[in-house]
Amino acid sequence: MGLMMEKFKHMFKPITLLLFVLPIVAAIGMGSLLEKQQKELVVPIAIVDEDQTNFSRNIIRQMEVQERIVVKETSFDDADTLLSRNEVDSIFVFKKGFQTHIINDERKETIELWTSPSSIASGIIREIVASEVTKLTSSVKAANRVEKLYQQEKGIESEVWDEAFEYTKNQLDPNPLMTINYVREDNIPGTENKDVIFTSYLGVWSFFTMLSCFITSDWVVKERSILFPRMMTTNIGLASYLRQTSGAYILFHVLQAACSLYALRYFQLMEVHFLLFFGVIFFILFTTSISMWIASRMRHLGSYYVVGSLVAFILAIAGGSFFPIGDISPVFEFLSLGLPQKILWATAYPAHTSFSEIGMTVIFSGVCIAFLWKTTNGGLKVR
């Protein structure tokens, strides 16, 4: 224990202090930048209204009130120019006769969609437009039915169509005709809620902390050929020296994690509670274990820095440090259960994570830590 504290005291040098501060500054600075970009992210689209009727104008107005969409109403030639310059994501063209076809219940291509290979949100916007068209067609069908029933009942024609149409449309906007009693899945025993909240602050912190752990584990490469043979002849012994030195570095990173969580809570950037502190300790143990295992297999310091940085980046991507990995594929989401970032998300937002997910992550990561720790302590051979 005395050796570990001595190692810990001598760690506070300029280079290690930089590694101590870097995750804190990066989490606040880059995390705030990413949060701001996500809030300000909008998708520009161009709309060409060749019909110029109430129906087309109604859909355009509904598109304009969408928070993440910027509508540019223009001619087709100008819209095509904007699309070729990648200034808009896609073009929606309301063709002539759009309103007439809907009223007559004619299934024709009344809206054209033009996209470029770089379009990223055309599918989502198309669903929004389709929902608005569905509201119109449903209102038209309801109005036609009401008018037909009125004529059969009264035997005379009447101007009830407009009134029935407006009434139906008002029922659909903003509320649908059919309502459901929604119950959160995480309130039902035995069910799982997959909607785990992602926070860029914790994600950025996890990457830079992982990178810091890899860099500080270079002592294994530096000391293996010079200091390790000497430690084998002392009363302390090599195994005890390895445990106490690695313990000093773990204590260093745990202290950094505590300062990071305090800073995030102080600036009110995210909610921090005591359970999250256990998550970051688990994360540091995992990262330190794998970094020491890699360092024990490397001969040259430069090669270790390159390999360590690459592995840290790959683990950050696979674990979802930069974006929710489940957005790519459910398979990747399942594979990420064995990575330590999952513990961070689970302890940061326990209400949004199922017990089975936490259990699987603890088991997978715990087995990995035990294996790496045992291999590292038994595999640091003197060369």
Side-chain angles (χ1 to χ4, degrees), residues 30 55 59 68 102 119 134-135 137 194 200 339:
M30 294 183 62
F55 281 15
I59 295 180
R68 302 298 183 184
I102 290 180
S119 296
T134 301
K135 290 180 182 180
T137 55
K194 301 298 182 180
S200 59
L339 297 179

Side-chain angles (χ1 to χ4, degrees), residues 95-159:
K95 302 181 69 174
K96 192 70 174 178
F98 170 74
Q99 177 170 309
T100 303
H101 293 317
I102 290 180
I103 293 177
N104 296 332
D105 196 19
E106 297 176 352
R107 299 183 178 275
K108 295 185 178 181
E109 296 181 357
T110 55
I111 301 178
E112 288 185 353
L113 172 63
W114 294 74
T115 61
S116 67
S118 60
S119 296
I120 59 173
S122 59
I124 299 175
I125 302 174
R126 180 172 53 190
E127 292 299 324
I128 297 176
V129 174
S131 67
E132 296 299 329
V133 174
T134 301
K135 290 180 182 180
L136 288 177
T137 55
S138 299
S139 301
V140 168
K141 289 181 179 180
N144 290 339
R145 181 61 176 169
V146 169
E147 184 180 48
K148 183 177 180 180
L149 291 175
Y150 187 88
Q151 291 177 358
Q152 291 177 353
E153 180 71 20
K154 301 296 183 179
I156 57 173
E157 295 185 2
S158 176
E159 299 295 333

Side-chain angles (χ1 to χ4, degrees), residues 67-214:
E67 293 183 356
R68 302 298 183 184
I69 300 176
V70 175
V71 177
K72 298 181 179 180
E73 191 174 353
T74 181
S75 64
F76 182 81
D77 292 336
D78 292 339
D80 186 53
T81 302
L82 292 174
L83 185 64
S84 62
R85 294 176 180 174
N86 290 325
E87 296 183 15
V88 294
D89 182 82
S90 50
I91 304 174
F92 288 85
V93 182
F94 292 86
K95 302 181 69 174
K96 192 70 174 178
F98 170 74
Q99 177 170 309
T100 303
H101 293 317
I102 290 180
I103 293 177
N104 296 332
D105 196 19
E106 297 176 352
R107 299 183 178 275
K108 295 185 178 181
E109 296 181 357
T110 55
I111 301 178
E112 288 185 353
L113 172 63
W114 294 74
T115 61
S116 67
S118 60
S119 296
I120 59 173
S122 59
I124 299 175
I125 302 174
R126 180 172 53 190
E127 292 299 324
I128 297 176
V129 174
S131 67
E132 296 299 329
V133 174
T134 301
K135 290 180 182 180
L136 288 177
T137 55
S138 299
S139 301
V140 168
K141 289 181 179 180
N144 290 339
R145 181 61 176 169
V146 169
E147 184 180 48
K148 183 177 180 180
L149 291 175
Y150 187 88
Q151 291 177 358
Q152 291 177 353
E153 180 71 20
K154 301 296 183 179
I156 57 173
E157 295 185 2
S158 176
E159 299 295 333
V160 298
W161 193 94
D162 292 336
E163 184 178 351
F165 175 81
E166 289 298 328
Y167 176 82
T168 307
K169 191 168 76 68
N170 290 334
Q171 297 301 309
L172 291 169
D173 190 16
N175 298 317
L177 287 175
M178 181 179 66
T179 58
I180 59 174
N181 183 20
Y182 175 71
V183 180
R184 287 175 57 95
E185 289 186 351
D186 54 3
N187 292 331
I188 303 177
T191 60
E192 297 181 357
N193 187 357
K194 301 298 182 180
D195 187 20
V196 179
I197 295 179
F198 171 79
T199 169
S200 59
Y201 298 107
L202 200 57
V204 172
W205 176 87
S206 67
F207 168 68
F208 281 96
T209 298
M210 187 179 298
L211 190 62
S212 178
C213 288
F214 273 89

Side-chain angles (χ1 to χ4, degrees), residues 267-285:
F267 291 107
Q268 298 181 351
L269 298 177
M270 63 173 290
E271 183 180 354
V272 177
H273 44 77
F274 192 69
L275 181 62
L276 179 57
F277 188 67
F278 288 98
V280 300
I281 293 177
F282 195 93
F283 177 83
I284 291 170
L285 287 174

